Amino acid sequence: MTTLTLFPSPFSKRHLLGIEELSMVEITQLLDSADGYVSLNRQPEKKLSRLRGRTVINVFFEDSTRTRTSFELAGKRMGADVINMSVATSSVRKGETLLDTAMTLNAMRPDVLVVRHPESGAVALLAQKVNCAVINAGDGMHEHPTQALLDALTIRRRVGRLDGLVVVICGDVLHSRVARSNIHLLNIMGARVRIVAPPTLTPPDADRLGVEVHHDMRRGVKDADIVMMLRLQMERMHGAYVPSVREYNRFFGLDYAKLAYAKPDALIMHPGPMNRGVEIDTAVADDINRSVILDQVELGVAVRMACLDLLTPREGANT
Ligand code: NCD
């Protein structure tokens, strides 16, 4: 099993831009491959030579702690040379456009560009201009595919499956690329998805996303297998979306009283960064039996190793 997953058949996509364009087979291939790297990441010696001689450039036009570090570790553990381009000190500050920056990096012949950008669609646009693989590390309010994959791997390893589970995504769904990628993935994999948000933070196209929409936490969380909390993305809000943070916490913050409506063994998830006391209470976030928030971080490295592997053609392969 491990041998098979570590040497998977070629992946059919050139880039990883979003979950929406993936099939159940492709998602399963990525998750199976990632599963094979989890035990390696728990050993003292973690380095493989699979991507030796390959170059991965992380280009983050937006802040990040876990995603950037996770991609850097993943690239290094696969044996690649990893460069982090710091946008704050780059020529972007001198007015260089996204596409000129992309073409410049492309001319240095990287094998993979990992890109985060505040505009939805910017990463897909960049992917059309370069001749290496591009991984979307979050584009505006659109998609964050590796986050959804690591969330799915976390659930699959804990519960054993995704299909048939009731997964509730709560909070600032409107601004969340994590929510969008998760909704696509969970629907493709046969889970039942509910979103819980105040009307102001519910996407206008929610009906077309294939989810059940709730505005009341108790009803939304009822009998859930998984409760996934989201941060209030103040940086994407222009105007007042919630009356006050205190009121938001009272109605939409996850505490034990609201969690009591979910299944007794429901798992608590959060992509991070968390705002404790806003969307999630500290005791719930740190509950060692129910919270899998740090498992998500751990499995994120394995998922990104799988993505780098599957998007980098092997020598001699004609894909
Ligand atoms: C998320 C993001 O950047 O979209 N964080 C992450 O990648 N783990 C969610 C967030 O910023 O709230």
Side-chain angles (χ1 to χ4, degrees), residues 66-67 116 144 147 177-178 231 233 235-236 271-273:
R66 62 217 88 218
T67 307
R116 170 170 284 193
H144 190 351
Q147 180 69 43
R177 52 200 179 203
V178 173
R231 182 176 66 89
Q233 304 212 3
E235 74 276 19
R236 298 192 208 284

Side-chain angles (χ1 to χ4, degrees), residues 224-227 259 262-268 289-291:
D225 294 287
I226 309 289
V227 182
L259 187 62
K263 287 206 179 136
D265 55 352
L267 299 176
I268 302 151
N289 299 312
R290 313 280 295 273
S291 168

Side-chain angles (χ1 to χ4, degrees), residues 60 62-68 116 137-140 143-144 146-147 150 175-179 229-233 235-236 270-275 279 296-297 304:
F60 278 59
E62 237 188 38
D63 298 343
S64 171
T65 306
R66 62 217 88 218
T67 307
R68 215 214 60 199
R116 170 170 284 193
D139 64 324
E143 281 236 33
H144 190 351
T146 57
Q147 180 69 43
L150 73 88
H175 297 108
S176 178
R177 52 200 179 203
V178 173
M229 301 307 299
L230 301 171
R231 182 176 66 89
L232 272 184
Q233 304 212 3
E235 74 276 19
R236 298 192 208 284
H270 194 304
M274 277 190 281
N275 285 151
E279 72 272 3
Q296 292 172 263
V297 178
R304 286 159 183 136

Side-chain angles (χ1 to χ4, degrees), residues 18 44 55 90 105 112 153 191 279 316:
T55 308
S90 73
L105 294 173
V112 184
L153 187 63
E279 72 272 3

Side-chain angles (χ1 to χ4, degrees), residues 23-295:
S23 65
M24 188 195 269
V25 170
E26 288 163 336
I27 292 169
T28 306
Q29 192 183 355
L30 282 160
L31 295 179
D32 289 351
S33 168
D35 238 343
Y37 293 115
V38 177
S39 51
L40 173 83
N41 283 335
R42 291 178 182 167
Q43 288 165 19
E45 171 62 56
K46 302 174 179 66
K47 210 166 165 103
L48 299 173
S49 58
R50 157 71 183 108
L51 294 185
R52 195 167 59 202
R54 309 298 179 106
T55 308
V56 177
I57 309 186
N58 283 328
V59 195
F60 278 59
F61 294 89
E62 237 188 38
D63 298 343
S64 171
T65 306
R66 62 217 88 218
T67 307
R68 215 214 60 199
T69 316
S70 183
F71 268 112
E72 185 175 353
L73 277 176
K76 288 181 171 164
R77 288 182 187 171
M78 294 300 285
D81 292 317
V82 185
I83 283 100
N84 292 309
M85 196 195 102
S86 163
V87 171
T89 55
S90 73
S91 292
V92 172
R93 302 260 300 185
K94 299 180 183 171
E96 187 171 68
T97 65
L98 169 68
L99 293 183
D100 280 332
T101 305
M103 297 307 287
T104 303
L105 294 173
N106 188 52
M108 298 181 200
R109 305 184 72 84
D111 296 279
V112 184
L113 288 177
V114 179
V115 187
R116 170 170 284 193
H117 197 280
E119 299 295 332
S120 306
V123 182
L125 180 69
L126 186 147
Q128 291 170 16
K129 305 287 173 190
V130 297
N131 40 33
C132 62
V134 175
I135 299 180
N136 181 3
D139 64 324
M141 299 164 17
H142 178 227
E143 281 236 33
H144 190 351
T146 57
Q147 180 69 43
L149 288 164
L150 73 88
D151 291 339
L153 187 63
T154 306
I155 299 171
R156 210 178 72 163
R157 287 178 65 94
R158 279 283 184 136
V159 186
R161 68 193 159 95
L162 293 162
D163 65 302
L165 297 183
V166 175
V167 182
V168 187
I169 304 177
C170 310
D172 185 357
V173 181
L174 176 66
H175 297 108
S176 178
R177 52 200 179 203
V178 173
R180 269 180 191 273
S181 289
N182 264 298
I183 289 168
H184 291 311
L185 187 146
L186 293 163
N187 276 333
I188 294 167
M189 302 307 281
R192 286 172 48 204
V193 189
R194 295 185 201 148
I195 59 171
V196 188
T200 48
L201 294 174
T202 302
D205 63 343
D207 297 345
R208 276 177 285 132
L209 290 173
V211 297
E212 225 180 85
V213 180
H214 292 267
H215 303 303
D216 177 275
M217 273 289 265
R218 289 172 177 80
R219 256 184 251 152
V221 162
K222 193 167 178 341
D223 297 330
D225 294 287
I226 309 289
V227 182
M228 187 183 291
M229 301 307 299
L230 301 171
R231 182 176 66 89
L232 272 184
Q233 304 212 3
M234 301 289 193
E235 74 276 19
R236 298 192 208 284
M237 295 185 192
H238 307 287
Y241 283 79
V242 291
S244 73
V245 165
R246 186 161 359 131
E247 189 166 324
Y248 179 82
N249 173 257
R250 188 163 147 234
F251 289 103
F252 294 96
L254 188 66
D255 54 18
Y256 279 116
K258 297 187 191 89
L259 187 62
Y261 288 81
K263 287 206 179 136
D265 55 352
L267 299 176
I268 302 151
M269 303 181 76
H270 194 304
M274 277 190 281
N275 285 151
R276 292 170 182 264
V278 181
E279 72 272 3
I280 190 163
D281 281 13
T282 280
V284 176
D286 297 339
D287 186 322
I288 50 163
N289 299 312
R290 313 280 295 273
S291 168
V292 292
I293 295 169
L294 293 176
D295 300 36

